[in-house]
Amino acid sequence: MIGRNAEIAVLSRMIAESRGGQGNAVALYGVAGIGKSALLEEAASRAGEHALVLRATGVEAESELPYAALHLLLRPARHLIDRLPAGQRAALRGAFGEGHEGVPDRFLVGLAVLTLLADLAEERPLLCLIDDVHWLDRASLDALTFAARRLAAERITMVFAGRDGAEPAINGIPDLRISGLARNDCEQLLAGLIPEVRDRVIEEAEGNPLALLHFAGILTPEQRAGHLAPLPLEPPEPSMAGRLEQSLRATVRRLPERARLLLLVAAADGSGSLRLVLRAAQAFGAGPEDLEPAEHAALIDVSGDRLRFRHPLVKAAAYHEAPLARRTAAHRALAGVLDGEEHADRRAWHLSAATLEPDEQTSAILASAGDRAAGRGSNASAATAYERAAQLTVDRERRARWLAAAAESALGAGQLPRAAAAADRGRRLAADPLLLARLASVRAAVEAEQGDPAPAAHLLIAAAEGIVRVAPAEAASLLATAAGEAWFAGDRGALRRAADLLESLAADVGVRLAGVVAAVRGMERVAAGDPATGLPLLRTALPQDLHAGEASVAVTDARHPAAIAVTVEGGVVPVVGDARPVVSGGGSERVAGTFAVFGALMTGDDDAACELAAARVAACRSHGLIGALPHALQLLTQAQILSGRHAEAAASGAEAWQIARDTGQEGRLRHLHGILARLAAIRGEDDECRRLAHQAEGSARERNGSGWGGCALTLLDLVRARYDTAAERMAGILDGPLGHTVIVTFAIADYVEACARLDEPDRAAAAFARFDAWAEASGRPWAAAVAHRCRALLAPRQRAEAHFEAALAPAPLAGRPFEQARTRLLYGEWLRRARRRADAGTQLRAALHAFTELGAEPWAERARTELAATGVHAAEPGPPAASAALSTLTSQELQVVRLAATGATNRQIGAQLFLSPRTVGFHLYKAYPKLGISSRAELAGLDLGPP
């Protein structure tokens, strides 16, 4: 190859690294004809005989066929499918239309792809080449990119190639931009031309290799000799791409008519099947002999039963050079020869392309194609089919129904603008209240995901009002969602309306939702400043006999098309990109489970919150619900942070963030950024805390984060002695729409401390009264202890000690060790100022030990400073050996070793953590020396904490 040494070096290095067990992926981007496919060919040749090369190419005609590209790529690995873990095996077979076990989670399909490729790579290294990504069906692309982000320890290199600016983009994978050739490389490529002709070709081609070769190839002998001005283009185009297209179309135009017709059929088909093209071309009187002129013109290659265009631009020229009537006739001819159930989708799309006017039969055929795509988890393809079905029917209600299905599918694919547009069109047509409720549910989910919960709440309430008589259970689900959105918006009127309507439905929604009805009223009372009434109502949402096994009912299979998005503290479940939220019954278990976690968080019951959230995580893992897992992990992270399990929270939060990023959950990421910002503040990672808190705010000013980011910054300001800033920031949060949320309520104690440090206790009096009322209503020992600490800070000096002692009286059983340690620190500081050095040293040493255990370094440093000021030079406390070793593990390593200690195999661990078995082994290999062990058997003897 000429002029691509740098790109070839990158690809060669990647192939060598993967051969050694360091998997990698890259996306090549460039304009059409720039040489991306040639680089893929070069990569294949560089891989040599030691690697197995798998290939897939996006085909425009197959871009709406679910998993078409994936099916092609995985052909050499089909014999290994039976070895996959059961959930992954079922998901992959379902994606290929071979299973009957429900709608496959599209991200679980991606995990199955990773495991399958990893198993194949055990035999020899793999090089996966995926060309023309811009024409890949979305389901295949999602699965492949999900796998590509998890190649850490695999002997796999994946190379994607796509056009600049084409959708969908390949996110989360490093890219390599391919630019035009340098002039000296162009001259070398055109060495056979005389200088003046060569210069003109180079000028026209702008360094594009395809244009260089094509423009040089169409020159006549006279033009090559320089006797005529080369490349006369009519009409002239200002861009190189336009000039190249015009030139290719002119080349097609010069072919005999039957050759043009045959090329048109081949371009309309796109599959490359020579047999199929020739059968369809018979309708135009064309036969195999008509291929010869196109072959002589170097437009196509024919080998065996395959017909291949020399370049996708040639195929586009052959198609668009034909008039509309002939294009539709070509599609109709292809539909006529595509018989058999296995070609039903392909036939449907050819009929769609051949239909220019409304046609009820074709509309129904497209709707059936949409049903098949949805059943295989290909939401983007389903949305396209349903939209086209809606275009082709004149029946108003039928069109509204197809638009609702399109909106739901687009939402499931994470295509928010598309979902909103389809829902808006459907709402203008629909008359049926249930259909309107479905559409409103989609529209509200879009608003919530984009960070504006207020309109989402009102949309859902209005929809529920329309179906309270005909479908009370469905109305209750909508109202539960609306209550959550109103909670985030700080819209007490909407929250009150949702609670009133739910109470009016209480007799019709069943026993399981009775706790939800009470919990929503409890939310309304808490938001109104009445925790004495609200918190007992919220507690009714918790299971009376709380065990993790029973709590697993909190997660219903979110792949089921009857899932409705339900909002709790932290976002919408199921989130965008995970399910098709439509109004239907049967979701009461999931709704109740969701509100159970919220009730535990809101009432300060940390143990229950951890148990319930952990059960949700376990259920997501066991059912392969990858799209729903980030929210479950987020709830677990929140509960773990509040209960002082910071190392576990870091692991849970890191996994939640990774999967949310990989599955395109932008709203979830905003919230996670706020939660992780609090961990960074506790650890004293100032820049990281500010970065995460800023990202949490987003365009919605952190309503999706429910205040976590702002409270994290307040905590950081507090430990850095920026008391003015902390007090100002917290005052703004308390007066804003998020002032009633969980973390803001708990952070009132930070505001009290900042005001006390500023010697302005009266400034915090009203806020403390709120927390004090909440603490009393909660009945939690830790809350009572924090309330006493606040009183100690606000009280005159002579009354402070009694409150400090009361705050520490229930320790260590009170819970929230971080808050206990802060109380000891403040009491120790107070004692030192009272010149009671020995007593101060006792409290400060205990605080230092606790902060060190919790990884709260800046707080530990404050305790050290105070200890030094007492004159007590105690030995520096250190964490136990096990804790010190665990602190050196990455979040992923910690999860892996904890599961490995239970006796789980690498394959079982991989299925739990959505990793390949080889990657699990890689993490264990990295963890052993950090833990001071050399084998798996030794893990059982370590205190690793719960898996």
Side-chain angles (χ1 to χ4, degrees):
M1 292 186 71
I2 295 174
R4 297 299 184 208
N5 291 339
E7 293 86 351
I8 291 170
V10 170
L11 295 175
S12 297
R13 174 182 54 78
M14 292 176 63
I15 293 168
E17 288 175 351
S18 65
R19 190 177 296 134
Q22 182 180 336
N24 45 50
V26 69
L28 308 181
Y29 289 108
V31 299
I34 204 66
K36 302 181 294 295
S37 298
L39 278 169
L40 296 187
E41 289 295 332
E42 184 68 18
S45 68
R46 297 268 170 160
E49 298 179 357
H50 299 293
L52 175 63
V53 180
L54 305 185
R55 298 173 184 263
T57 300
V59 177
E60 188 175 13
E62 297 180 350
S63 60
E64 300 302 340
L65 301 182
Y67 297 106
L70 191 63
H71 199 280
L72 177 65
L73 184 79
L74 296 182
R75 276 180 183 170
R78 293 296 297 266
H79 64 288
L80 297 173
I81 290 180
D82 286 340
R83 289 176 47 186
L84 292 173
Q88 296 177 34
R89 182 172 64 248
L92 193 58
R93 291 203 182 283
F96 289 162
E98 301 169 359
H100 306 281
E101 301 181 31
V103 181
D105 182 298
R106 62 194 176 109
F107 304 117
L108 188 59
V109 174
L111 181 61
V113 171
L114 173 62
T115 307
L116 196 67
L117 293 177
D119 287 348
L120 193 61
E122 291 296 324
E123 302 171 10
R124 55 176 167 153
L126 288 185
L127 174 62
C128 298
L129 304 176
I130 302 99
D131 203 358
D132 289 335
V133 169
H134 47 282
W135 284 330
L136 235 60
D137 64 279
R138 179 63 181 269
S140 291
L141 183 60
D142 284 345
L144 288 170
T145 52
F146 187 88
R149 298 186 190 108
R150 285 167 167 73
L151 296 177
E154 308 306 330
R155 299 199 302 168
I156 302 171
T157 290
M158 297 182 75
V159 185
F160 299 82
R163 287 186 189 170
D164 270 337
E167 291 291 337
I170 309 171
N171 297 318
I173 295 174
D175 58 50
L176 181 62
R177 300 283 164 175
I178 313 300
S179 57
L181 296 176
R183 183 172 183 87
N184 60 328
D185 294 322
C186 294
E187 291 174 350
Q188 184 180 352
L189 195 63
L190 302 177
L193 298 179
I194 62 174
E196 55 267 32
V197 175
R198 183 182 63 210
D199 291 346
R200 177 65 191 278
V201 171
I202 291 173
E203 179 185 349
E204 293 285 350
E206 300 177 6
N208 185 291
L210 176 65
L212 286 163
L213 295 172
H214 176 71
F215 289 156
I218 63 173
L219 295 175
T220 65
E222 292 81 3
Q223 290 170 332
R224 284 177 174 273
H227 299 317
L228 298 173
L231 309 181
L233 298 173
E234 296 179 2
E237 285 284 343
S239 70
M240 184 281 298
R243 293 192 296 274
L244 181 56
E245 180 185 358
Q246 288 288 351
S247 180
L248 288 169
R249 290 179 66 164
T251 302
V252 171
R253 202 179 303 129
R254 289 192 290 268
L255 295 174
E257 181 180 8
R258 285 206 298 269
R260 294 201 306 273
L261 286 168
L262 207 152
L263 285 191
L264 168 62
V265 173
D269 166 56
S271 71
S273 170
L274 179 61
R275 184 184 63 82
L276 180 65
V277 168
L278 291 177
R279 282 183 63 198
Q282 289 175 1
F284 302 101
E289 64 279 3
D290 296 308
L291 290 172
E292 189 174 345
E295 289 182 278
H296 286 316
L299 297 176
I300 60 171
D301 293 319
V302 179
S303 177
D305 190 36
R306 308 301 297 171
L307 183 155
R308 185 181 68 86
F309 284 92
R310 185 164 61 93
H311 192 276
L313 288 179
V314 177
K315 182 173 71 174
Y319 186 81
H320 293 291
E321 179 57 25
L324 175 63
R326 286 196 170 179
R327 295 202 301 269
T328 58
H331 285 292
R332 194 171 294 110
L334 285 162
V337 298
L338 282 166
D339 44 19
E341 190 60 32
E342 69 274 18
H343 297 306
D345 289 332
R346 203 182 291 273
R347 181 168 60 250
W349 287 109
H350 281 303
L351 286 173
S352 171
T355 305
L356 304 180
E357 299 291 337
D359 183 291
E360 297 299 333
Q361 183 179 4
T362 305
S363 174
I365 289 172
L366 265 296
S368 295
D371 290 342
R372 287 191 295 273
R376 295 170 64 181
S378 180
N379 287 315
S381 295
T384 304
Y386 289 134
E387 285 174 333
R388 184 62 173 145
Q391 288 177 342
L392 294 177
T393 182
V394 295
D395 184 279
R396 186 183 181 93
E397 277 298 308
R398 194 176 296 136
R399 178 174 291 179
R401 192 161 65 249
W402 297 148
L403 285 170
E408 291 159 357
S409 295
L411 182 66
Q415 298 173 333
L416 301 186
R418 183 182 189 184
D424 288 342
R425 293 200 304 274
R427 287 164 65 197
R428 290 193 290 270
L429 296 168
D432 175 45
L434 280 170
L435 188 58
L436 284 167
R438 286 174 60 188
L439 291 159
S441 180
V442 172
R443 199 65 180 84
V446 172
E447 295 286 353
E449 179 71 8
Q450 292 178 333
D452 199 351
H458 289 280
L459 279 167
L460 291 166
I461 291 171
E465 288 174 331
I467 62 172
V468 287
R469 289 187 175 85
V470 296
E474 288 79 358
S477 290
L478 291 174
L479 290 168
T481 309
E485 302 300 353
W487 173 268
F488 287 120
D491 190 335
R492 295 178 187 172
L495 188 53
R496 184 167 53 253
R497 179 61 176 155
D500 291 344
L501 283 170
L502 268 172
E503 287 178 344
S504 73
L505 293 171
D508 300 316
V509 298
V511 176
R512 191 72 178 115
L513 285 180
V516 175
V517 173
V520 170
R521 177 59 73 190
M523 293 166 64
E524 185 271 326
R525 288 290 79 210
V526 169
D530 181 13
T533 303
L535 294 190
L537 290 171
L538 279 161
R539 275 194 289 271
T540 65
L542 275 68
Q544 292 184 0
D545 185 13
L546 186 59
H547 298 290
E550 296 174 11
S552 66
V553 298
V555 177
T556 294
D557 190 341
R559 296 168 296 181
H560 194 281
I564 298 177
V566 175
T567 306
V568 295
E569 185 84 3
V572 177
V573 182
V575 290
V576 170
D578 176 55
R580 297 171 56 216
V582 302
V583 176
S584 175
S588 61
E589 293 289 333
R590 176 189 42 75
V591 176
T594 299
F595 273 83
V597 183
F598 174 73
L601 287 169
M602 188 65 245
T603 58
D605 191 342
D606 299 339
D607 290 339
C610 284
E611 186 174 346
L612 288 162
R616 291 174 65 88
V617 170
C620 287
R621 294 195 195 282
S622 64
H623 290 92
L625 303 179
I626 299 179
L629 182 60
H631 181 260
L633 283 166
Q634 171 198 298
L635 293 174
L636 182 58
T637 304
Q638 290 174 258
Q640 288 168 335
I641 290 174
L642 295 174
S643 60
R645 306 172 191 180
H646 295 165
E648 295 171 36
S652 300
E655 185 183 9
W657 187 92
Q658 181 71 42
I659 297 175
R661 189 202 66 169
D662 290 351
T663 53
Q665 299 180 30
E666 294 300 325
R668 181 70 50 230
L669 284 172
R670 285 196 296 273
H671 194 145
L672 284 165
H673 287 147
I675 294 168
L676 294 174
R678 185 169 183 85
L679 272 180
I682 291 170
R683 292 191 297 240
E685 298 167 354
D686 296 40
D687 291 343
E688 181 71 354
C689 177
R690 283 189 286 267
R691 181 185 70 82
L692 288 167
H694 175 73
Q695 290 178 337
E697 292 183 358
S699 60
R701 301 304 298 169
E702 218 210 335
R703 285 187 173 178
N704 264 25
S706 66
W708 282 79
C711 291
L713 291 173
T714 299
L715 190 66
L716 186 66
D717 288 332
L718 196 60
V719 77
R720 298 305 185 196
R722 296 187 289 265
Y723 304 123
D724 273 322
T725 304
E728 287 294 328
R729 187 191 309 280
M730 200 64 212
I733 295 172
L734 286 165
D735 290 339
L738 303 176
H740 58 278
T741 57
V742 169
I743 191 61
V744 177
T745 299
F746 299 161
I748 288 174
D750 300 339
Y751 182 52
V752 169
E753 183 175 343
C755 293
R757 296 282 189 177
L758 294 169
D759 199 21
E760 299 177 14
D762 292 343
R763 183 176 175 183
F768 172 64
R770 273 184 51 194
F771 179 80
D772 195 29
W774 179 91
E776 183 176 356
S778 76
R780 308 309 304 173
W782 72 262
V786 171
H788 278 299
R789 184 181 82 205
C790 291
R791 290 192 188 93
L793 293 172
L794 298 176
R797 184 167 189 80
Q798 63 272 21
R799 298 211 306 266
E801 185 167 15
H803 291 300
F804 275 126
E805 290 178 347
L808 294 171
L813 301 177
R816 303 224 173 171
F818 181 61
E819 297 301 332
Q820 291 180 37
R822 289 177 62 186
T823 299
R824 291 191 183 280
L825 174 62
L826 289 166
Y827 188 25
E829 291 172 342
W830 186 91
L831 289 167
R832 185 184 66 79
R833 289 194 296 273
R835 301 183 182 278
R836 293 164 56 183
R837 293 187 175 186
D839 292 338
T842 299
Q843 297 299 331
L844 293 170
R845 279 192 297 270
L848 175 57
H849 179 79
F851 287 138
T852 304
E853 282 278 326
L854 292 164
E857 178 52 34
W859 301 87
E861 185 57 36
R862 268 181 55 177
R864 289 189 198 98
T865 301
E866 287 294 322
L867 266 174
T870 66
V872 177
H873 298 287
E876 175 70 17
S883 297
L886 289 180
S887 68
T888 66
L889 301 181
T890 67
S891 297
Q892 195 86 83
E893 290 166 357
L894 180 61
Q895 289 179 299
V896 168
V897 297
R898 281 175 166 168
L899 286 169
T902 68
T905 66
N906 287 8
R907 205 167 189 81
Q908 290 168 334
I909 296 170
Q912 285 282 299
L913 300 181
F914 307 123
L915 302 170
S916 75
R918 189 180 179 92
T919 298
V920 170
F922 171 77
H923 286 307
L924 285 172
Y925 173 77
K926 300 285 284 186
Y928 287 162
K930 296 179 183 180
L931 295 172
I933 62 176
S934 58
S935 72
R936 196 186 200 99
E938 296 175 76
L939 287 172
L942 300 179
D943 181 11
L944 299 171

mmCIF file of all heavy atoms in Angstrom, residues 43 64 111 130 138 191 246 289 336 346 383 411 437 483 495 623 705 734 833 840 879 895 923:
data_model
loop_
_atom_site.group_PDB
_atom_site.id
_atom_site.type_symbol
_atom_site.label_atom_id
_atom_site.label_comp_id
_atom_site.label_asym_id
_atom_site.label_seq_id
_atom_site.Cartn_x
_atom_site.Cartn_y
_atom_site.Cartn_z
ATOM 1 N N ALA A 43 -4.706 -5.449 6.984
ATOM 2 C CA ALA A 43 -4.669 -6.012 8.337
ATOM 3 C C ALA A 43 -4.831 -7.528 8.281
ATOM 4 O O ALA A 43 -4.151 -8.269 9.009
ATOM 5 C CB ALA A 43 -5.767 -5.394 9.194
ATOM 6 N N GLU A 64 -31.834 -2.893 7.996
ATOM 7 C CA GLU A 64 -32.984 -3.053 8.883
ATOM 8 C C GLU A 64 -33.299 -4.515 9.168
ATOM 9 O O GLU A 64 -34.350 -4.829 9.732
ATOM 10 C CB GLU A 64 -34.221 -2.368 8.275
ATOM 11 C CG GLU A 64 -34.066 -0.877 8.024
ATOM 12 C CD GLU A 64 -33.734 -0.075 9.278
ATOM 13 O OE1 GLU A 64 -33.982 -0.585 10.398
ATOM 14 O OE2 GLU A 64 -33.218 1.040 9.160
ATOM 15 N N LEU A 111 -22.873 -9.665 25.229
ATOM 16 C CA LEU A 111 -22.041 -10.474 26.111
ATOM 17 C C LEU A 111 -21.851 -11.874 25.535
ATOM 18 O O LEU A 111 -20.774 -12.460 25.613
ATOM 19 C CB LEU A 111 -22.670 -10.547 27.498
ATOM 20 C CG LEU A 111 -21.892 -11.356 28.531
ATOM 21 C CD1 LEU A 111 -20.510 -10.768 28.773
ATOM 22 C CD2 LEU A 111 -22.668 -11.441 29.841
ATOM 23 N N ILE A 130 -14.902 -5.451 10.524
ATOM 24 C CA ILE A 130 -16.293 -5.060 10.285
ATOM 25 C C ILE A 130 -16.275 -3.806 9.426
ATOM 26 O O ILE A 130 -15.897 -2.721 9.886
ATOM 27 C CB ILE A 130 -17.044 -4.810 11.602
ATOM 28 C CG1 ILE A 130 -17.015 -6.066 12.483
ATOM 29 C CG2 ILE A 130 -18.494 -4.426 11.315
ATOM 30 C CD1 ILE A 130 -15.973 -6.049 13.556
ATOM 31 N N ARG A 138 -28.530 -1.938 13.362
ATOM 32 C CA ARG A 138 -28.218 -1.375 14.675
ATOM 33 C C ARG A 138 -28.042 -2.465 15.736
ATOM 34 O O ARG A 138 -27.207 -2.344 16.637
ATOM 35 C CB ARG A 138 -29.334 -0.411 15.090
ATOM 36 C CG ARG A 138 -29.148 0.247 16.459
ATOM 37 C CD ARG A 138 -27.909 1.128 16.496
ATOM 38 N NE ARG A 138 -27.745 1.717 17.802
ATOM 39 C CZ ARG A 138 -28.256 2.899 18.167
ATOM 40 N NH1 ARG A 138 -28.954 3.609 17.288
ATOM 41 N NH2 ARG A 138 -28.068 3.374 19.374
ATOM 42 N N ALA A 191 1.986 7.030 -11.369
ATOM 43 C CA ALA A 191 3.296 7.168 -12.019
ATOM 44 C C ALA A 191 3.226 7.014 -13.531
ATOM 45 O O ALA A 191 4.091 7.505 -14.257
ATOM 46 C CB ALA A 191 4.257 6.139 -11.427
ATOM 47 N N GLN A 246 -20.702 11.867 -9.962
ATOM 48 C CA GLN A 246 -21.106 12.172 -11.332
ATOM 49 C C GLN A 246 -20.338 11.323 -12.334
ATOM 50 O O GLN A 246 -20.904 10.800 -13.303
ATOM 51 C CB GLN A 246 -20.883 13.663 -11.631
ATOM 52 C CG GLN A 246 -21.861 14.600 -10.947
ATOM 53 C CD GLN A 246 -23.257 14.522 -11.566
ATOM 54 O OE1 GLN A 246 -23.454 13.892 -12.604
ATOM 55 N NE2 GLN A 246 -24.216 15.147 -10.914
ATOM 56 N N GLU A 289 -25.316 -13.008 -19.606
ATOM 57 C CA GLU A 289 -24.443 -12.393 -20.610
ATOM 58 C C GLU A 289 -24.384 -10.878 -20.475
ATOM 59 O O GLU A 289 -23.427 -10.234 -20.930
ATOM 60 C CB GLU A 289 -24.906 -12.781 -22.020
ATOM 61 C CG GLU A 289 -26.295 -12.255 -22.401
ATOM 62 C CD GLU A 289 -27.449 -13.084 -21.853
ATOM 63 O OE1 GLU A 289 -27.182 -14.068 -21.116
ATOM 64 O OE2 GLU A 289 -28.614 -12.738 -22.134
ATOM 65 N N GLY A 336 -40.730 -10.575 -5.502
ATOM 66 C CA GLY A 336 -41.419 -11.695 -6.120
ATOM 67 C C GLY A 336 -40.638 -12.983 -6.107
ATOM 68 O O GLY A 336 -41.226 -14.072 -6.174
ATOM 69 N N ARG A 346 -36.715 -9.648 4.399
ATOM 70 C CA ARG A 346 -36.135 -9.070 3.185
ATOM 71 C C ARG A 346 -37.237 -8.759 2.165
ATOM 72 O O ARG A 346 -37.220 -7.701 1.528
ATOM 73 C CB ARG A 346 -35.116 -10.054 2.597
ATOM 74 C CG ARG A 346 -34.078 -9.412 1.695
ATOM 75 C CD ARG A 346 -33.166 -10.495 1.153
ATOM 76 N NE ARG A 346 -32.323 -11.070 2.169
ATOM 77 C CZ ARG A 346 -31.140 -10.575 2.518
ATOM 78 N NH1 ARG A 346 -30.686 -9.503 1.921
ATOM 79 N NH2 ARG A 346 -30.421 -11.160 3.448
ATOM 80 N N ALA A 383 -38.567 -0.154 15.090
ATOM 81 C CA ALA A 383 -39.094 1.206 14.974
ATOM 82 C C ALA A 383 -39.239 1.609 13.514
ATOM 83 O O ALA A 383 -40.244 2.215 13.110
ATOM 84 C CB ALA A 383 -38.176 2.185 15.710
ATOM 85 N N LEU A 411 -37.603 4.250 21.714
ATOM 86 C CA LEU A 411 -37.183 4.497 23.096
ATOM 87 C C LEU A 411 -36.323 3.349 23.596
ATOM 88 O O LEU A 411 -35.285 3.554 24.234
ATOM 89 C CB LEU A 411 -38.414 4.668 23.979
ATOM 90 C CG LEU A 411 -38.141 4.992 25.452
ATOM 91 C CD1 LEU A 411 -37.505 6.363 25.591
ATOM 92 C CD2 LEU A 411 -39.427 4.916 26.257
ATOM 93 N N ALA A 437 -52.326 6.653 26.531
ATOM 94 C CA ALA A 437 -51.485 6.441 27.708
ATOM 95 C C ALA A 437 -50.137 5.843 27.324
ATOM 96 O O ALA A 437 -49.098 6.211 27.878
ATOM 97 C CB ALA A 437 -52.203 5.529 28.696
ATOM 98 N N ALA A 483 -45.339 10.290 40.162
ATOM 99 C CA ALA A 483 -44.943 10.736 41.496
ATOM 100 C C ALA A 483 -43.436 10.891 41.597
ATOM 101 O O ALA A 483 -42.928 11.865 42.175
ATOM 102 C CB ALA A 483 -45.442 9.745 42.545
ATOM 103 N N LEU A 495 -47.250 16.136 42.638
ATOM 104 C CA LEU A 495 -47.074 15.021 43.559
ATOM 105 C C LEU A 495 -48.350 14.783 44.360
ATOM 106 O O LEU A 495 -48.780 13.633 44.563
ATOM 107 C CB LEU A 495 -45.890 15.305 44.489
ATOM 108 C CG LEU A 495 -45.425 14.186 45.410
ATOM 109 C CD1 LEU A 495 -45.140 12.912 44.649
ATOM 110 C CD2 LEU A 495 -44.181 14.635 46.172
ATOM 111 N N HIS A 623 -31.022 -12.872 35.541
ATOM 112 C CA HIS A 623 -31.888 -12.840 34.367
ATOM 113 C C HIS A 623 -31.199 -12.225 33.144
ATOM 114 O O HIS A 623 -31.818 -12.108 32.093
ATOM 115 C CB HIS A 623 -33.169 -12.061 34.665
ATOM 116 C CG HIS A 623 -34.090 -12.763 35.620
ATOM 117 N ND1 HIS A 623 -34.055 -12.556 36.979
ATOM 118 C CD2 HIS A 623 -35.048 -13.695 35.404
ATOM 119 C CE1 HIS A 623 -34.966 -13.309 37.568
ATOM 120 N NE2 HIS A 623 -35.583 -14.017 36.637
ATOM 121 N N GLY A 705 -29.637 14.024 39.093
ATOM 122 C CA GLY A 705 -28.739 13.585 40.144
ATOM 123 C C GLY A 705 -29.312 13.767 41.531
ATOM 124 O O GLY A 705 -28.689 13.396 42.507
ATOM 125 N N LEU A 734 -30.871 23.789 49.445
ATOM 126 C CA LEU A 734 -32.018 23.621 50.334
ATOM 127 C C LEU A 734 -33.213 24.439 49.875
ATOM 128 O O LEU A 734 -34.364 24.031 50.055
ATOM 129 C CB LEU A 734 -31.633 24.001 51.765
ATOM 130 C CG LEU A 734 -30.741 22.996 52.495
ATOM 131 C CD1 LEU A 734 -30.124 23.615 53.728
ATOM 132 C CD2 LEU A 734 -31.551 21.759 52.865
ATOM 133 N N ARG A 833 -10.018 22.353 72.662
ATOM 134 C CA ARG A 833 -10.161 23.775 72.959
ATOM 135 C C ARG A 833 -10.517 24.002 74.433
ATOM 136 O O ARG A 833 -10.234 25.074 74.988
ATOM 137 C CB ARG A 833 -11.223 24.393 72.054
ATOM 138 C CG ARG A 833 -10.776 24.508 70.600
ATOM 139 C CD ARG A 833 -11.699 25.417 69.803
ATOM 140 N NE ARG A 833 -13.052 24.871 69.706
ATOM 141 C CZ ARG A 833 -13.446 24.023 68.766
ATOM 142 N NH1 ARG A 833 -12.582 23.641 67.836
ATOM 143 N NH2 ARG A 833 -14.687 23.586 68.748
ATOM 144 N N ALA A 840 -9.514 14.545 74.697
ATOM 145 C CA ALA A 840 -9.506 14.867 73.262
ATOM 146 C C ALA A 840 -8.760 13.798 72.488
ATOM 147 O O ALA A 840 -9.190 13.350 71.410
ATOM 148 C CB ALA A 840 -8.876 16.240 73.022
ATOM 149 N N PRO A 879 -4.807 0.521 58.635
ATOM 150 C CA PRO A 879 -5.865 -0.465 58.443
ATOM 151 C C PRO A 879 -5.331 -1.865 58.637
ATOM 152 O O PRO A 879 -4.139 -2.109 58.510
ATOM 153 C CB PRO A 879 -6.287 -0.250 56.993
ATOM 154 C CG PRO A 879 -5.073 0.320 56.334
ATOM 155 C CD PRO A 879 -4.380 1.140 57.384
ATOM 156 N N GLN A 895 -14.298 -7.259 42.839
ATOM 157 C CA GLN A 895 -15.490 -8.059 42.565
ATOM 158 C C GLN A 895 -15.121 -9.487 42.180
ATOM 159 O O GLN A 895 -15.754 -10.453 42.625
ATOM 160 C CB GLN A 895 -16.293 -7.418 41.434
ATOM 161 C CG GLN A 895 -16.990 -6.124 41.827
ATOM 162 C CD GLN A 895 -17.752 -5.544 40.650
ATOM 163 O OE1 GLN A 895 -17.168 -5.222 39.624
ATOM 164 N NE2 GLN A 895 -19.052 -5.413 40.795
ATOM 165 N N HIS A 923 -7.955 -10.754 35.675
ATOM 166 C CA HIS A 923 -8.100 -9.972 36.910
ATOM 167 C C HIS A 923 -7.598 -10.756 38.117
ATOM 168 O O HIS A 923 -6.973 -10.175 39.031
ATOM 169 C CB HIS A 923 -9.566 -9.563 37.099
ATOM 170 C CG HIS A 923 -10.016 -8.478 36.170
ATOM 171 N ND1 HIS A 923 -9.350 -7.287 36.046
ATOM 172 C CD2 HIS A 923 -11.075 -8.416 35.321
ATOM 173 C CE1 HIS A 923 -9.970 -6.525 35.158
ATOM 174 N NE2 HIS A 923 -11.019 -7.192 34.697
#
